[in-house]
Amino acid sequence: MPIYLRPASLKSALSLLAQAARARKGRSGHPLTVLAGGTDIYPARAGKQAWLESFPRDFLDITQIPELKGIRRDGRAVLIGALTTWTELVAAKLPPAFDALKEAALQVGGLQIQNRATLGGNIVNASPAADGVPPLLALDAQVEIASTRGERRVPLATFIRGNRQTDLASDELVVALRVPLHGANSRSLFLKLGARSHLVISIVSAALLVDQAADGTISDIRVTVGAASAVPTRLAALEAELRGEMLELALLERVTPALFSSLTPLDDVRASATYRRKAARILVRRGLAACIGPRAEELAA
Amino acid sequence: MIAEEFTGAVELTVNGKKVEIAARPDMRLSRVLREELGLTGTKVGCDAGDCGACTVLIEEEQACACLVPVAQLEGRRVQTIEGLAEDPIGRALQRSFHYHGAAQCGICTPGMLMASLDLLRRVEKVDLPMVETALGGVLCRCTGYLKICEAVLDAGRFLEPDEGLDEDAISANGVASIGELKPPTGSQAGLPGNGVSVGARVARLDGLPKLDGTEVYGADKAPQDALWLRAIRSPHARARFVIGDLRTFVSNEPGIFRVLTAADVPGENSFGIFPDMKDQPVFAEGETRYRGEAVAAVIGERAAIDGFDVSRFPIRWDPLQPLIGLDGALSPNAHASHPAHPDNVLVRGWVEKGDIESAFRGSSHRAEGLFSTRFVEHAYIEPEAGFARRVGKRVEVFASTQAPYMSRDEVARVLGLEPGDVRIIPSACGGGFGGKLDVSLQPMLAVAAWQMGVPIRSIYTRPESMAATTKRHPAAITARAACDAQGRITAYAMEADFDTGAYASWGPTVAGRVPVHGTGPYRVPNVLNRARAIYSNGPIAGAFRGFGVPQAAIAHEALYDELAEKAGLDRLEFRLLNALRVADETATGQVLQASVGLDRCLEALRPHWHKMLEEAETLNDKATVMRRGVGIACMWYGIGNTALSNPSRMRLALTREGRVLFFNGAVDIGQGSTTVLTQIAAEALGLPVSAFTLVTGDTDKTADAGKSSASRQTFVSGKAAENAALALRAEILRHTNAGADARFALEGGQLKIDSKAESTVIDLTAWPAGADGIVFEGAGDFDPPTEPLDIKGQGVPYATYGFAAQIVALDVDMALGTVRLERFVAAHDVGRAINPTLVEGQIHGGIAQGIGLALMEEYVPGRTENLHDYLIPSFGDVPPIEIILVEAAEPLGPFGAKGVGEPALVPAAPAILGAIRHATGVSIREIPALPHRVRAALEAAGRAWEI
Ligand SMILES: Cc1cc2nc3c(=O)[nH]c(=O)nc-3n(C[C@@H](O)[C@@H](O)[C@H](O)COP(=O)(O)OP(=O)(O)OC[C@H]3O[C@@H](n4cnc5c(N)ncnc54)[C@H](O)[C@@H]3O)c2cc1C
Ligand code: FES
Ligand code: FES
């Protein structure tokens, strides 16, 4: 008989996970799959069912756990509960640095998905095309993780290890995302490229976060590209190139192909690798141009 | 051990009623609604969140019921389509959808309505972007979304008066009385009276059940005691296999009662469209020829089938080198997939006229090219589903189909029964587009029901539907065209290879139809068009809206654009100069007698064309990354089977109660045949549509109307319906002295007849009637006159042709290679628009599929077997479409009508590709024009926007 657990507190959830993990070590139990909005788990199940393959059936449903919900301020950071849905995120009052994340949220599936899918699920699922990840990386988000062994906090950039691989142990839960606050002069945006209007998985995506100093120079900049490597990737070389420069038209020329060499895109049915690499640069330039102003946008492309 | 372990039942509120569910906690809400609560109005198209057909409201917010475990609904409120009419906004939406023709097959409609309700409850004043965003999670394959948007935007007008879609609105026989569905401020969408049926925007007569969740599709009904069937399918494109000990297997699997294999097929283990090409097995024997081919079926209880793990099934696979694509199948060392065809060429078709080589030599301008397209999936939102049961010595199959009689004959063959011993009851069909012409699960179900004596049901999963059933043929077309100095086309030559996949299916039809249409709808004195259907180990390529003609049109329209340019002619004027007209001769030597409206289509487009071109010029003055392009394409399409008989028979009867019974065997797959044929019959009979009671598609009750394909039902069955109505009319008049001018009116059982010669009343209630209450009846047949093609492909393959021209404006992003469509104008010669709303719906939907073909759709076995990797157009991908209906009446057709289903699709893709060329100077010849392909082509031509 499959197991379905629906604990009402973080504490009991963690102890259930710990029990299951111990049982599994002793080879007597099944792995427990953590279930949030189900928008990755159920489609994956459909794929398995179609070919009569087995799929996970033992669930730890975390949707009743109050500690995983809500968005709140915590000192110099914003804490986004793992169960926060895209719709809740869009509705939340957040500083402009979060605009990219909100733009991404509005493009995750349709409303049906946005109403149910969670940010926590998006990062744990760790798809190369996960749209939440590039903006969160640009925000320098950290992942708050809990287990009966204690709590830990890791940068999102190290949390996601590969295509559908994370740093999460089987007895751990993602509790929240911790996003340090940025200056009020931040601008952020998200660009997504797909082959149709709605409900589309990114061919490439890009998120930019630009902090501008009073003198008009770029005090900080983060640029990340999704779907163009096994893991959404921050372009450190590009950031270094632009940091400290005036945010103006001339900057666009500095966005050279060499600065994208850290990307390792794949050939697949959605696009060729070569194309992905080029498209990433186009999106980033367009994003940067949008930060500079309308005239730059016109010339950017 | 664990306090929170889920134990008891889930209590939730569904449509205002508290219910307790004792299902497994991880069961999908969609399944709970449909199977535990009997609320089958919520549809399942994918179980993966991709189609949105299962959209319901949870606590007022839309959600995909297929992604929600029922346990998460404890204490929560769910609203489904069955509860829609409780809300005044819901009722307004239903009326507006009905009025605007926003539901075609109706399978997406519950999801669309629920998403609309979510929007209209949240927002009072909505605009188009809001509608697209709110409904963007629901896919529709039929409508092209435009009428759905119209309906949502217009819903406010339908808010009052406050009578819903209640019992009174649907008369006992299921024919809608839709008078009250008019918006408060006037409309013509009512039921017409005498003599105004044809040409009226009658709302679908089968429309109401599509709006309240009561329509019964293949998955929506089965006997209580039905067992479930699942096929075991080949995961390999080609493999040998050996099945082990099934007896032991079955005894070890609780809840599994039987496994069927080829050995259990009582009749022939083969089916197929053509009598001499029945090459597809129900269950493969020894070797499979494509990924997704069935080798066996397990039958058991629902829970056992659900949890069934194929790794326990005793089968050994031995993968073999498959033939992939045309190159693989035609390579010199390719094996023969079917022994009777050593070179893997299933069939050839050709048309030859004049002297092609000397014509090419003597022409001023020439153009040539190689064009290739990929497998395209029908992606109807309803996966195959149905049930079969044994009734004494007969078998009944209830399933989603486009061709009940063909289905009957296939099932009979497989069971070794007489056709009359099989009854096919078509379910409502949630989209077909050619993909439900072939049988899919019917033979398996029938074999199982026959062997086991209990009802057997099955529902294909989405990936199974995509892997197992037919596709549009990939094509490789090498073509040449030439014209003289004035731009008159002198010659056209085409070699077209079509990858027909593992089995013949409709391959011969494609190979036969394409050479006939290969030149496009133009006068071409010298023609050499050859086509081949080639076996491979790809998916079965079968029938898909246009039977290869859309692929061929991509080639000819691209070449004519080039010729026009070389001859210094405007692209529209070039086409007008060469357009077929009455008395012209086609490539097959057929002299067109009437109903050739292409020139009128082009002339109607001319002002729009110039406006679009001017806009493009202005926009392109500025050197930005976006380039505007304008494209044009023409098409023709022979209505009905190619040079083959394809009769239809219709029957009408007048009953003692004063109802007109219409026995109509044509399957309405969303295209609207039920409504259109009734309009025709009503017009010819002289009684209003509201007097009709419909008896549709059941092989025990209705005669063979032929299949719903080849755009033939309006023309062929329409004419049969007209003939049946005229026969009934004559039969009635025979009993009176009234003249042919007689006007009929029915009041209860009294038939009033008014004519110059006599006015009289027939009291039907007193008239002698049969047991079925029938007083008078009339039957009608029609088989469009054609002549066989001779050895050179000369003859009269079709009685009539549909014509159309479409223009499109679009923007190409010269850096990213993406395409944004701006606007279509579509001019269609339909002979006569029996119901303009339905014709528009067909054109919208056809263009949407053409957009998919041109820009995004590519089926790759094992890679795009679901609706998130296989992309069809969504909301926002179909631009505004202006429609111009040209009526060049077809004397053979009912009231001048021809067909429109396929004609709508054919020109859309070539027009788009022509516009891309206009914008960029680059001709994309590998379809679909995905962004990376466009970008690569731009780069190759040195035209990409480099940064
Ligand atoms: C039709 C459709 C369209 C989509 N489009 C997009 C898109 O455009 N862009 C995009 O990025 N995504 C898209 N998605 C996927 C997106 O919905 C998910 O990534 C979602 O955000 C996952 O959240 P969930 O709560 O549904 O996760 P679930 O499916 O419940 O879980 C996902 C994974 O995360 C684990 N998990 C969840 N929460 C936790 C936690 N707190 N701690 C530890 N493990 C956890 C689960 O065990 C599982 O492995 C789409 C999905 C669908 C069905
Ligand atoms: S069935 Fe739920 S989205 Fe397709
Ligand atoms: S009407 Fe939308 S899918 Fe058929």
Side-chain angles (χ1 to χ4, degrees):
Chain A
M1 204 35 203
I3 300 169
Y4 194 100
L5 308 167
R6 203 169 185 227
S9 75
L10 183 58
K11 191 157 169 275
S12 67
L14 295 178
S15 80
L16 290 168
L17 273 179
Q19 279 179 43
R22 273 198 305 277
R24 193 145 42 112
K25 269 203 191 120
R27 293 184 184 279
S28 62
H30 307 273
L32 266 186
T33 300
V34 173
L35 174 70
T39 64
D40 280 318
I41 287 174
Y42 277 84
R45 175 186 280 206
K48 294 283 181 195
Q49 281 177 316
W51 292 94
L52 299 169
E53 289 163 5
S54 62
F55 48 85
R57 286 169 173 257
D58 294 330
F59 289 118
L60 179 81
D61 179 335
I62 57 174
T63 56
Q64 284 283 73
I65 302 174
E67 292 94 326
L68 306 183
K69 295 182 183 174
I71 301 177
R72 64 190 166 84
R73 181 79 179 266
D74 183 36
R76 291 288 302 146
V78 173
L79 272 181
I80 304 175
L83 284 178
T84 304
T85 64
W86 302 108
T87 299
E88 285 163 358
L89 180 93
V90 170
K93 253 184 87 112
L94 291 165
F98 287 82
D99 288 354
L101 187 57
K102 287 191 173 187
E103 283 161 23
L106 289 168
Q107 295 181 67
V108 173
L111 270 183
Q112 295 94 327
I113 303 302
Q114 291 160 25
N115 287 340
R116 306 243 337 141
T118 66
L119 268 75
N122 195 244
I123 64 160
V124 176
N125 189 57
S127 153
D131 286 324
V133 176
L136 284 166
L137 283 177
L139 284 166
D140 235 351
Q142 297 193 306
V143 187
E144 306 224 318
I145 297 167
S147 70
T148 49
R149 294 175 286 133
E151 289 168 16
R152 61 187 183 111
R153 192 185 286 174
V154 292
L156 179 60
T158 54
F159 176 80
I160 302 180
R161 288 196 169 157
N163 184 353
R164 308 203 178 253
Q165 284 168 347
T166 68
D167 174 31
L168 203 66
S170 65
D171 64 343
E172 288 181 317
L173 276 183
V174 170
V175 175
L177 287 152
R178 171 177 292 269
V179 181
L181 278 176
H182 288 254
N185 278 339
S186 303
R187 281 216 50 181
S188 82
L189 49 83
F190 176 74
L191 296 167
K192 171 167 173 171
L193 175 63
R196 73 173 173 197
S197 294
H198 289 86
L199 287 179
V200 66
I201 301 171
S202 297
I203 294 174
V204 184
S205 67
L208 280 87
L209 176 67
V210 181
D211 289 338
Q212 220 177 335
D215 63 358
T217 56
I218 297 175
S219 54
D220 198 2
I221 182 164
R222 321 272 173 71
V223 182
T224 56
V225 171
S229 298
V231 177
T233 307
R234 245 179 95 168
L235 300 175
L238 173 66
E239 294 172 1
E241 177 78 17
L242 303 180
R243 203 169 288 126
E245 301 295 322
M246 285 296 286
L247 185 57
E248 61 185 20
L249 203 57
L251 218 51
L252 295 182
E253 299 313 310
R254 310 266 291 270
V255 185
T256 57
L259 300 171
F260 291 77
S261 58
S262 57
L263 300 178
T264 50
L266 288 180
D267 271 320
D268 67 12
V269 287
R270 281 191 268 279
S272 67
T274 334
Y275 176 81
R276 283 201 161 91
R277 197 185 292 278
K278 288 178 184 154
R281 181 160 160 259
I282 296 166
L283 290 192
V284 168
R285 266 181 53 118
R286 288 183 185 176
L288 193 60
C291 295
I292 296 169
R295 164 118 184 88
E297 256 187 293
E298 215 170 276
L299 294 174
Chain B
M1 104 180 167
I2 297 156
E4 293 86 351
E5 175 141 16
F6 199 95
T7 46
V10 185
E11 199 180 290
L12 64 153
T13 306
V14 178
N15 298 328
K17 274 203 253 4
K18 272 219 161 64
V19 292
E20 238 188 53
I21 309 288
R24 280 207 340 256
D26 66 334
M27 193 175 276
R28 301 167 187 270
L29 171 62
S30 48
R31 165 101 171 260
V32 168
L33 291 171
R34 294 177 52 84
E35 289 178 30
E36 307 288 318
L37 298 174
L39 298 174
T40 51
T42 298
K43 302 303 173 195
V44 172
C46 69
D47 264 347
D50 297 318
C51 74
C54 64
T55 300
V56 298
L57 303 190
I58 300 177
E59 302 286 331
E60 313 285 320
E61 284 190 342
Q62 55 172 306
C64 292
C66 71
L67 301 181
V68 184
V70 65
Q72 291 188 356
L73 293 164
E74 176 64 44
R76 309 191 74 189
R77 283 178 297 127
V78 174
Q79 191 174 1
T80 70
I81 183 76
E82 287 87 354
L84 179 70
E86 284 157 26
D87 187 315
I89 299 176
R91 295 197 292 276
L93 278 165
Q94 288 172 319
R95 294 193 190 102
S96 190
F97 268 57
H98 196 47
Y99 174 77
H100 286 280
Q104 287 188 22
C105 81
I107 195 81
C108 70
T109 311
M112 293 289 178
L113 286 166
M114 296 316 286
S116 306
L117 179 65
D118 172 44
L119 172 69
L120 297 188
R121 273 193 189 155
R122 280 185 286 120
V123 189
E124 208 166 305
K125 267 203 93 56
V126 294
D127 57 20
L128 184 61
M130 287 163 114
V131 173
E132 292 186 341
T133 304
L135 276 63
V138 194
L139 296 176
C140 174
R141 191 55 155 170
C142 299
T143 64
Y145 304 101
L146 301 179
K147 287 189 183 285
I148 295 173
C149 292
E150 269 171 40
V152 180
L153 289 170
D154 197 29
R157 281 206 301 151
F158 293 82
L159 264 171
E160 69 312 275
D162 208 49
E163 71 245 6
L165 281 178
D166 53 18
E167 295 298 311
D168 312 340
I170 307 173
S171 58
N173 48 68
V175 176
S177 102
I178 43 172
E180 63 272 46
L181 283 161
K182 282 188 227 168
T185 50
S187 84
Q188 71 284 53
L191 284 179
N194 287 3
V196 295
S197 296
V198 161
R201 292 180 178 271
V202 176
R204 302 185 68 99
L205 301 176
D206 55 353
L208 296 191
K210 298 178 197 288
L211 300 167
D212 61 6
T214 55
E215 185 72 292
V216 183
Y217 297 88
D220 296 339
K221 187 173 93 175
Q224 272 300 318
D225 56 342
L227 293 176
W228 289 77
L229 175 148
R230 275 295 304 267
I232 310 273
R233 298 185 181 278
S234 171
H236 308 288
R238 180 172 170 235
R240 257 193 288 279
F241 65 93
V242 183
I243 295 177
D245 176 6
L246 291 175
R247 191 168 302 202
T248 315
F249 167 75
V250 170
S251 63
N252 288 337
E253 292 281 323
I256 301 279
F257 304 130
R258 176 109 191 224
V259 177
L260 297 173
T261 65
D264 300 295
V265 176
E268 300 289 332
N269 183 27
S270 66
F271 60 88
I273 302 305
F274 294 90
D276 54 339
M277 291 182 204
K278 299 214 176 270
D279 59 358
Q280 185 172 357
V282 179
F283 299 112
E285 296 177 53
E287 185 176 320
T288 58
R289 290 192 175 84
Y290 73 104
R291 175 179 159 90
E293 178 160 16
V295 297
V298 285
I299 290 133
E301 288 165 354
R302 176 62 148 154
I305 291 287
D306 262 0
F308 184 72
D309 179 353
V310 79
S311 66
R312 294 196 300 267
F313 188 74
I315 188 165
R316 211 193 64 226
W317 293 104
D318 191 2
L320 300 169
Q321 183 65 39
L323 306 173
I324 298 300
L326 290 166
D327 289 346
L330 294 172
S331 103
N333 45 17
H335 74 277
S337 189
H338 295 262
H341 302 270
D343 54 359
N344 289 318
V345 177
L346 163 65
V347 62
R348 292 164 207 266
W350 66 92
V351 166
E352 195 179 338
K353 174 173 144 173
D355 177 352
I356 190 85
E357 289 315 327
S358 66
F360 269 109
R361 273 195 305 277
S363 294
S364 309
H365 306 293
R366 283 173 285 273
E368 62 183 4
L370 166 64
F371 301 83
S372 65
T373 71
R374 305 298 167 92
F375 282 113
V376 181
E377 155 67 18
H378 302 88
Y380 26 74
I381 305 301
E382 178 204 29
E384 291 70 11
F387 73 86
R389 67 174 162 204
R390 186 172 179 162
V391 182
K393 289 194 162 1
R394 299 185 80 211
V395 160
E396 282 181 14
V397 183
F398 171 86
S400 184
T401 178
Q402 291 175 248
Y405 273 84
M406 285 170 61
S407 190
R408 179 193 70 162
D409 297 353
E410 299 276 37
V411 168
R413 173 186 166 91
V414 160
L415 294 183
L417 296 178
E418 289 304 312
D421 289 336
V422 176
R423 177 180 183 187
I424 302 288
I425 307 167
S427 68
C429 179
F433 319 115
K436 289 175 185 164
L437 287 169
D438 302 63
V439 288
S440 52
L441 42 59
Q442 296 91 336
M444 277 190 283
L445 289 174
V447 169
W450 185 257
Q451 297 286 21
M452 298 180 66
V454 287
I456 307 288
R457 72 183 297 192
S458 187
I459 302 174
Y460 277 8
T461 64
R462 170 59 56 182
E464 189 179 18
S465 168
M466 293 181 78
T469 68
T470 60
K471 303 281 166 283
R472 179 184 295 287
H473 285 72
I477 301 176
T478 311
R480 300 183 282 158
C483 69
D484 65 17
Q486 286 75 44
R488 281 185 298 255
I489 304 171
T490 50
Y492 193 91
M494 173 199 80
E495 300 281 341
D497 280 344
F498 290 91
D499 181 348
T500 208
Y503 296 105
S505 181
W506 296 86
T509 308
V510 168
R513 192 174 262 275
V514 165
V516 172
H517 291 81
T519 57
Y522 309 100
R523 270 186 312 270
V524 187
N526 302 286
V527 178
L528 180 57
N529 286 342
R530 287 195 282 231
R532 301 189 293 181
I534 313 286
Y535 279 128
S536 74
N537 292 115
I540 308 159
F544 190 163
R545 219 170 180 171
F547 289 104
V549 175
Q551 294 95 307
I554 286 171
H556 63 67
E557 290 304 284
L559 296 185
Y560 294 145
D561 276 355
E562 257 185 55
L563 287 184
E565 199 174 275
K566 288 181 174 163
L569 283 179
D570 170 86
R571 287 173 284 160
L572 183 146
E573 301 304 332
F574 177 90
R575 286 171 168 82
L576 188 53
L577 174 70
N578 289 292
L580 283 170
R581 291 170 169 79
V582 170
D584 281 342
E585 204 187 277
T586 69
T588 66
Q590 177 177 0
V591 177
L592 298 172
Q593 307 291 343
S595 189
V596 188
L598 182 60
D599 52 344
R600 286 168 60 191
C601 290
L602 286 165
E603 276 157 12
L605 288 175
R606 196 189 266 130
H608 301 271
W609 173 247
H610 287 302
K611 191 151 166 283
M612 279 184 179
L613 284 172
E614 278 159 32
E615 281 167 9
E617 211 169 311
T618 317
L619 286 167
N620 291 341
D621 265 353
K622 274 197 284 178
T624 69
V625 70
M626 301 305 279
R627 297 276 307 174
R628 172 61 58 87
V630 181
I632 182 167
C634 299
M635 64 73 58
W636 65 327
Y637 198 78
I639 306 298
N641 294 354
T642 310
L644 286 174
S645 157
N646 62 142
S648 175
R649 183 173 181 79
M650 294 279 141
R651 196 160 74 91
L652 282 172
L654 189 56
T655 67
R656 194 176 254 171
E657 289 79 41
R659 301 289 308 164
V660 183
L661 294 184
F662 183 19
F663 299 90
N664 164 10
V667 181
D668 195 320
I669 57 175
Q671 88 283 35
S673 62
T674 296
T675 307
V676 164
L677 299 186
T678 309
Q679 282 178 265
I680 291 169
E683 184 82 35
L685 178 60
L687 281 169
V689 165
S690 57
F692 279 61
T693 294
L694 309 180
V695 182
T696 43
D698 171 335
T699 56
D700 272 11
K701 293 188 186 159
T702 54
D704 190 359
K707 60 210 171 19
S708 292
S709 76
S711 305
R712 60 180 286 287
Q713 290 297 19
T714 298
F715 178 56
V716 183
S717 291
K719 190 68 190 179
E722 183 188 353
N723 289 341
L726 292 177
L728 173 58
R729 193 178 158 87
E731 171 67 12
I732 295 168
L733 290 179
R734 212 165 55 79
H735 297 275
T736 70
N737 293 319
D741 67 322
R743 290 175 65 85
F744 292 171
L746 273 170
E747 267 164 41
Q750 310 296 308
L751 175 66
K752 291 198 177 142
I753 300 173
D754 253 327
S755 84
K756 275 203 211 95
E758 183 193 79
S759 285
T760 175
V761 175
I762 295 181
D763 181 1
L764 296 167
T765 58
W767 208 271
D772 45 10
I774 291 175
V775 182
F776 300 115
E777 65 175 289
D781 297 282
F782 184 60
D783 189 3
T786 60
E787 285 169 20
L789 299 180
D790 68 14
I791 186 103
K792 289 192 154 185
Q794 299 294 299
V796 179
Y798 308 101
T800 189
Y801 296 82
F803 294 90
Q806 296 178 355
I807 58 177
V808 63
L810 52 76
D811 294 321
V812 180
D813 184 321
M814 300 292 285
L816 287 174
T818 49
V819 174
R820 197 194 61 84
L821 301 174
E822 205 265 334
R823 190 159 62 96
F824 264 94
V825 186
H828 280 257
D829 165 20
V830 297
R832 177 80 188 272
I834 303 290
N835 185 326
T837 303
L838 295 177
V839 170
E840 289 159 8
Q842 286 301 296
I843 294 174
H844 289 167
I847 288 179
Q849 292 184 355
I851 292 169
L853 173 67
L855 296 179
M856 62 185 83
E857 297 187 32
E858 178 167 354
Y859 179 79
V860 186
R863 301 288 293 283
T864 61
E865 274 165 8
N866 55 56
L867 293 176
H868 52 267
D869 292 314
Y870 186 85
L871 298 183
I872 64 171
S874 62
F875 272 94
D877 292 316
V878 184
I881 299 172
E882 190 175 324
I883 290 171
I884 301 168
L885 294 180
V886 168
E887 299 186 323
E890 168 52 58
L892 288 172
F895 300 97
K898 304 187 279 193
V900 72
E902 288 154 303
L905 182 147
V906 180
I912 290 171
L913 297 166
I916 295 177
R917 177 171 181 273
H918 180 232
T920 66
V922 172
S923 173
I924 308 287
R925 297 188 166 181
E926 201 182 333
I927 314 303
L930 290 167
H932 68 106
R933 288 201 186 121
V934 175
R935 163 93 203 181
L938 291 176
E939 282 175 9
R943 307 219 178 184
W945 181 280
E946 292 300 347
I947 49 170

